[in-house]
């Protein structure tokens, strides 16, 4: 497997910020991944898992730990015909958008709204990612994970306790290896038309051309984070190179000059302003690594 020292994590995150990982490891297949996790457990070596880095803010000083990449080396899609549904087994390093497009190309319906999610399947399962009313739980049949001891388990969505942007994967220290989706046959033209519609909505309403981590905050019950932030007069608000998107206030973006510290400060300021002025506590959807 590939091992890099002091690898800049800004190369691996969609915010395009972040200092180095002390050790950065890229397993070549699921067997290497499993043996690596087993080794790290036995040696009591702390580690973090990274996929496409689309929901991650890493501090400017980086992380003094091992980072394991579940990326292109762990890609793969297998179509398994079944009596009532079609099963799509997808390796964790595959982009969820690529899996959704594969489903569409094979006239399989159910993943259309997931096409524009930029993360990997592993990351999407871990946070039960979703868009436009569809979440991973709606199409998942089972998930293969590696336990922190290096054992392989197959779990159902119920066993993963999938909820809004939640699963037990992080707290149990599982590593997602693959996910199997249960899909149904549909009309290819209708599937692609619906997918194109979702894509156009994203393009029209979200700053997809800017460096960001997608929606910065979870949706607070009974509210929309972007609306709360806009009502506080924070549209376009800047700190250093970090800015509240003028296109969609639920996104904090990097204008190209931001440091991780700028983004972190702005997230904190937004939370403070919304709590004081709107009485609502925003919870970041973005994961934070390192010291700020």
């Amino acid at each position: 497997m590939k091992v890099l020292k002091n690898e800049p994590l800004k190369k691996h995150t969609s915010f395009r910020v972040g200092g180095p990982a002390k050790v950065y490891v890229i397993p070549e297949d699921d067997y290497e991944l499993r043996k690596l996790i087993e080794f790290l457990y036995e040696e009591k070596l702390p580690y973090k898992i990274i996929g496409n880095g689309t929901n991650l803010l890493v501090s400017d000083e980086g992380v003094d730990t091992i980072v394991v990449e579940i990326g292109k080396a762990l890609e793969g899609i297998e179509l398994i015909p079944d009596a009532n549904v079609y099963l799509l087994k997808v390796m964790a390093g595959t982009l969820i958008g690529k899996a959704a497009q594969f489903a569409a190309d094979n006239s399989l319906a159910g993943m259309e709204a997931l096409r524009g999610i930029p993360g990997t399947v592993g990351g999407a399962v871990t946070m039960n990612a979703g868009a436009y009313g569809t979440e991973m739980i709606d199409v998942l049949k089972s998930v293969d994970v590696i336990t922190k001891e290096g054992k392989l388990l197959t779990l159902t969505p119920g066993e993963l306790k999938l909820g809004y942007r939640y699963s037990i994967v992080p707290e149990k220290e599982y590593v997602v290896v693959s996910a199997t989706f249960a899909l149904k046959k549909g009309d290819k033209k209708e599937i692609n038309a619906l997918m194109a519609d979702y894509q156009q909505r994203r393009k029209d309403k979200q700053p997809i051309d800017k460096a960001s981590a997608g929606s910065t905050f979870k949706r607070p019950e009974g509210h929309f984070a972007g609306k709360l932030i806009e009502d506080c007069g924070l549209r376009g608000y800047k700190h250093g190179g970090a800015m509240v998107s003028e296109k969609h206030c639920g996104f904090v973006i990097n204008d190209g000059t931001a440091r991780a510290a700028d983004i972190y400060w702005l997230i904190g300021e937004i939370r403070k302003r919304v709590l004081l002025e709107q009485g609502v506590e925003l919870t970041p959807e973005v994961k934070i690594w390192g010291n700020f």
Side-chain angles (χ1 to χ4, degrees):
M1 62 187 72
K2 192 173 184 180
V3 180
L4 306 172
K5 291 185 178 180
N6 297 315
E7 175 69 1
L9 289 174
K10 66 181 180 181
K11 293 168 54 177
H12 303 279
T13 64
S14 57
F15 262 134
R16 298 293 179 258
V17 296
K22 186 176 182 180
V23 179
Y24 192 88
V25 187
I26 309 172
E28 290 190 357
D29 53 37
D30 53 338
Y31 175 78
E32 279 196 354
L33 174 62
R34 185 175 174 182
K35 298 307 291 184
L36 172 62
I37 297 303
E38 184 179 1
F39 169 78
L40 295 174
Y41 173 76
E42 291 175 350
E43 297 298 320
K44 296 182 172 58
L45 295 171
Y47 63 91
K48 296 180 182 294
I49 300 293
I50 190 170
N52 205 37
T54 54
N55 197 42
L56 181 62
L57 177 62
V58 181
S59 73
D60 295 305
E61 63 186 57
V63 290
D64 188 24
T65 187
I66 297 166
V67 173
V68 180
E69 179 185 292
I70 313 296
K72 292 181 179 180
L74 285 157
E75 279 189 356
I77 304 175
E78 180 184 3
L79 179 59
I80 309 171
D82 192 85
N84 300 310
V85 297
Y86 285 77
L87 303 180
L88 203 65
K89 184 171 184 178
V90 186
M91 297 298 293
T94 309
L95 293 177
I96 186 64
K98 185 174 182 179
Q101 188 60 60
F102 181 94
D105 292 343
N106 286 274
S107 304
L108 300 179
M111 300 183 73
E112 295 88 343
L114 305 176
R115 174 65 177 81
I117 295 175
T120 60
V121 166
V125 168
T126 299
M127 65 174 294
N128 188 28
Y132 299 108
T134 299
E135 295 180 322
M136 297 295 285
I137 191 174
D138 298 319
V139 289
L140 268 180
K141 177 179 173 60
S142 64
V143 179
D144 291 334
V145 302
I146 298 172
T147 70
K148 62 183 179 181
E149 297 86 6
K151 307 301 182 183
L152 187 64
L153 296 179
T154 299
L155 304 172
T156 65
E159 289 171 322
L160 287 174
K161 298 183 180 178
L162 297 184
Y164 176 65
R165 303 300 176 266
Y166 173 81
S167 78
I168 63 170
V169 169
E171 61 193 66
K172 292 290 188 180
E173 298 181 56
Y174 292 152
V175 179
V176 177
V177 178
S178 66
T180 299
F181 300 94
L183 307 173
K184 294 185 178 181
K185 270 290 184 181
D187 182 272
K188 183 182 289 189
K189 288 185 178 180
E190 292 179 3
I191 292 169
N192 279 303
L194 185 55
M195 192 175 286
D197 178 59
Y198 286 132
Q199 290 293 84
Q200 189 61 49
R201 288 195 225 176
R202 285 189 176 88
K203 185 177 179 180
D204 292 343
K205 297 180 180 180
Q206 298 177 9
I208 59 176
D209 59 330
K210 305 295 183 183
S212 78
S215 297
T216 307
F217 302 98
K218 296 181 181 180
R219 185 181 66 244
E221 187 174 354
H223 300 276
F224 293 99
K227 180 67 164 56
L228 292 170
I229 296 166
E230 181 178 7
D231 289 347
C232 289
L234 293 174
R235 182 182 294 277
Y237 185 79
K238 292 190 69 174
H239 179 78
M243 183 174 77
V244 175
S245 169
E246 294 181 333
K247 197 169 190 178
H248 191 311
C249 292
F251 288 66
V252 170
I253 63 173
N254 176 0
D255 73 0
T257 66
R259 299 175 303 134
D262 297 332
I263 297 169
Y264 183 82
W265 186 94
L266 184 55
I267 289 173
E269 181 66 11
I270 292 167
R271 296 184 71 198
K272 181 173 69 176
R273 291 277 294 273
V274 170
L275 182 60
L276 288 173
E277 298 182 27
Q278 306 291 332
V280 178
E281 185 169 4
L282 294 179
T283 301
E285 193 170 297
V286 177
K287 293 189 294 183
I288 308 294
W289 283 6
N291 297 317
F292 285 90

